[in-house]
Amino acid sequence: MDRYEIVVKGHLDRRWARQFGGLTLTDLPGEQTLLAGMLPDQPALHGVLARIRDLGLTLVSLTRCEDEREQKS
């Protein structure tokens, strides 16, 4: 499992959280929303990205957060 932080344009209502498989939604300054959380694999990530596309949202950024164990390698 990897942790991802995905930023989209606009503030999303909390009801949208169900659309994104348990990722947490946090409003950011500048009319953006952070979707963050663990995803089990690449197909799950692609599913979230497809949902963003299907809903007509604008993707601002996507970050895979490194695990502390990876940073020490």
Side-chain angles (χ1 to χ4, degrees), residues 12-32:
L12 303 181
D13 187 283
R14 296 300 150 245
R15 294 176 292 173
W16 287 59
R18 287 180 281 170
Q19 300 285 329
F20 298 106
L23 296 177
T24 59
L25 276 63
T26 305
D27 289 341
L28 298 175
E31 293 295 316
Q32 296 179 342

Side-chain angles (χ1 to χ4, degrees), residues 2 4 6-7 9-10 12 16 18-19 24-25 27 30 35 38 41-42 46 49 52-54 57 60 63 65 69 71:
D2 291 312
Y4 289 92
I6 303 166
V7 178
K9 193 178 230 181
L12 303 181
W16 287 59
R18 287 180 281 170
Q19 300 285 329
T24 59
L25 276 63
D27 289 341
L35 291 77
M38 301 296 287
D41 51 28
Q42 288 289 303
H46 286 272
L49 295 174
I52 289 169
R53 179 202 63 217
D54 293 346
L57 300 173
V60 174
T63 304
C65 301
R69 293 171 289 184
Q71 293 175 356

